[in-house]
Amino acid sequence: MRNNSRKNYRRRRRNTGASRIKLVGIVAVIVVIAIIIVISCFNKTKKDSNKAKDTGTATENVTGVTEQLSETEEAKELFAPKESDATAAIGDELESSYAVVIDEQDGTVVAGKNAHEKMYPASMTKVMTVLVAAEQAEKNAIDAAKNENAEIDRQAVIENKLNEVVTITREATDYSYVHDCSTTGFLDGEQVPLRDVFNGTILPSGGESAYQLAVYTAGSMEAFVDMMNQKAAELGIGQTTHFANPVGIYDENNYSTAYDMAVIMQAAMQDDICKTVLSNHTYSTAATPQHPENLNISNLFLRRIEDKMTSGEVIGAKTGFVNQSGNCAVSYEKAASGKTYICVTAGASSGWHCIDNHVYLYNTYGK
């Protein structure tokens, strides 16, 4: 009886041990399978990550190439006239100390005299002032029309913008008075259309108009000057031209070159607002309570030079004067041949001599 009990006990022990071995084997197999699955998932994740990384790198490379192409294309569009063996050296026959004549179509410097030397642009500065203000006004007007889901008629939208009322501030008139600027004649508190401020900036070279145009555009004169310098950089002349104010008051940090002023003029004449303002011989402002009979203003350079030209027509111009620059001017001519030229001079002893210098340069080189 005892022997049978022992046999049964040993048999149960053997069966239990076998079961345990079998269970351990199953668990081991399950663990191995789990490890294989985990490793496979890890490798797949790593491959996907590398693939995504490679794709991202490729996208970045393509984007970089695209940006480089865009920059290259933009650089090609810059108006950057080049000198050549045919570029004439202007000598002492011209009173002005600085001069350049540029063929707009060929993109060549036809003639020059200290064309790349630093000089002070005086009120030629205002060409950049109206260019920056015009581009911003056009952008704001078109963006506003788009936001209203209005059908865009570019010309009508811009014309409507030019009718916007601008209030001439005491700061503008005081600035002009303190710095002994030429004036349009606007008074403190006078409300005038934006187009009058543009014309007042160029035709009589109004200091209060230029100041008010800057503040209207950017909120402050300082912010507007930043925009002017940004535009100079966009035109490719940021290394040799820098502005310190929108009026042209002498400042050692308000400088340019004859060549650079020609580049600015070319850009301005491509803008509809600027071209119109720079081409107006005379202009009458809107009637206001302060000026019920209007203000009649003139571009004296255009009015005086038209009788002196023997060929072609000067269709746009802006003059300037400070002691450090002498009498200076930038102008744009359509020659009898139909070609267009840009001329800049600085350092003449009088306004009439400045005009005579432009006549001489156009008649000599503007074919």
Side-chain angles (χ1 to χ4, degrees):
M1 192 72 181
R2 181 179 293 177
N3 289 337
N4 289 335
S5 296
R6 288 179 177 176
K7 288 179 181 179
N8 290 335
Y9 174 75
R10 284 196 293 268
R11 189 180 298 114
R12 287 196 301 270
R13 289 286 302 273
R14 284 195 299 270
N15 290 340
T16 300
S19 297
R20 287 177 178 175
I21 292 171
K22 185 177 180 180
L23 179 61
V24 170
I26 293 172
V27 170
V29 170
I30 292 173
V31 169
V32 170
I33 292 173
I35 292 172
I36 292 172
I37 292 172
V38 169
I39 292 173
S40 297
C41 291
F42 176 79
N43 288 336
K44 184 176 185 302
T45 302
K46 185 175 181 180
K47 288 180 180 179
D48 290 342
S49 176
N50 289 336
K51 183 177 179 181
K53 184 177 181 180
D54 292 340
T55 302
T57 302
T59 302
E60 290 174 359
N61 288 338
V62 170
T63 302
V65 171
T66 302
E67 289 176 350
Q68 290 175 0
L69 288 174
S70 297
E71 290 174 358
T72 301
E73 291 172 357
E74 183 178 349
K76 288 180 180 178
E77 295 175 357
L78 290 177
F79 182 68
K82 299 292 188 295
E83 281 90 352
S84 70
D85 293 339
T87 300
I90 303 170
D92 293 337
E93 73 275 12
L94 193 78
E95 181 196 27
S96 292
S97 304
Y98 310 87
V100 71
V101 180
I102 290 175
D103 183 326
E104 184 182 25
Q105 275 71 43
D106 293 346
T108 58
V109 178
V110 179
K113 179 181 182 180
N114 299 320
H116 295 282
E117 296 298 318
K118 177 180 177 181
M119 58 89 172
Y120 299 103
S123 282
M124 290 191 295
T125 295
K126 294 184 177 79
V127 178
M128 179 64 97
T129 300
V130 294
L131 174 59
V132 171
E135 289 183 343
Q136 192 61 46
E138 290 158 355
K139 179 181 182 302
N140 291 345
I142 292 171
D143 287 348
K146 288 179 178 177
N147 289 337
E148 295 173 0
N149 297 318
E151 184 176 347
I152 303 298
D153 180 338
R154 178 182 172 83
Q155 190 61 38
V157 167
I158 293 174
E159 283 296 314
N160 187 57
K161 182 69 174 179
L162 290 172
N163 290 328
E164 191 167 299
V165 174
V166 177
T167 301
I168 306 300
T169 64
R170 172 63 64 84
E171 288 77 16
T173 55
D174 282 354
Y175 184 90
S176 182
Y177 177 78
V178 168
H179 292 93
D180 195 26
C181 300
S182 300
T183 68
T184 307
F186 294 136
L187 300 177
D188 174 27
E190 190 166 5
Q191 294 185 316
V192 300
L194 177 59
R195 71 176 70 251
D196 287 7
V197 184
F198 272 106
N199 280 280
T201 298
I202 294 298
L203 276 71
S205 201
E208 84 279 31
S209 294
Y211 182 100
Q212 199 64 62
L213 188 59
V215 174
Y216 165 85
T217 301
S220 71
M221 189 177 75
E222 293 75 17
F224 186 81
V225 169
D226 287 341
M227 293 174 68
M228 294 172 74
N229 289 318
Q230 181 180 344
K231 185 62 181 179
E234 290 175 6
L235 294 174
I237 57 175
Q239 297 300 313
T240 47
T241 287
H242 186 273
F243 296 103
N245 62 78
V247 179
I249 295 166
Y250 170 72
D251 186 303
E252 63 179 8
N253 291 315
N254 199 86
Y255 58 82
S256 188
T257 69
Y259 176 94
D260 290 0
M261 287 309 307
V263 170
I264 295 170
M265 185 67 167
Q266 195 273 343
M269 292 299 285
Q270 305 310 304
D271 179 272
D272 291 339
I273 293 175
C274 293
K275 183 176 181 179
T276 297
V277 172
L278 287 163
S279 301
N280 281 338
H281 286 222
T282 60
Y283 180 83
S284 293
T285 64
T288 66
Q290 292 87 344
H291 294 101
E293 296 182 0
N294 318 97
L295 287 170
N296 296 311
I297 54 180
S298 299
N299 186 324
L300 293 179
F301 184 95
L302 291 179
R303 294 181 64 186
R304 290 171 175 171
I305 199 172
E306 62 184 345
D307 295 329
K308 288 177 169 285
M309 293 294 293
T310 58
S311 66
E313 177 187 7
V314 176
I315 59 177
K318 180 70 193 80
T319 58
F321 173 82
V322 291
N323 291 330
Q324 293 79 2
S325 68
N327 286 272
C328 54
V330 53
S331 65
Y332 186 97
E333 182 217 28
K334 185 174 183 179
S337 64
K339 296 183 70 173
T340 52
Y341 295 87
I342 304 167
C343 177
V344 181
T345 64
S349 60
S350 73
W352 281 108
H353 285 172
C354 180
I355 290 173
D356 289 339
N357 284 179
H358 280 243
V359 172
Y360 168 79
L361 292 172
Y362 281 132
N363 289 342
T364 304
Y365 301 107
K367 305 301 183 183

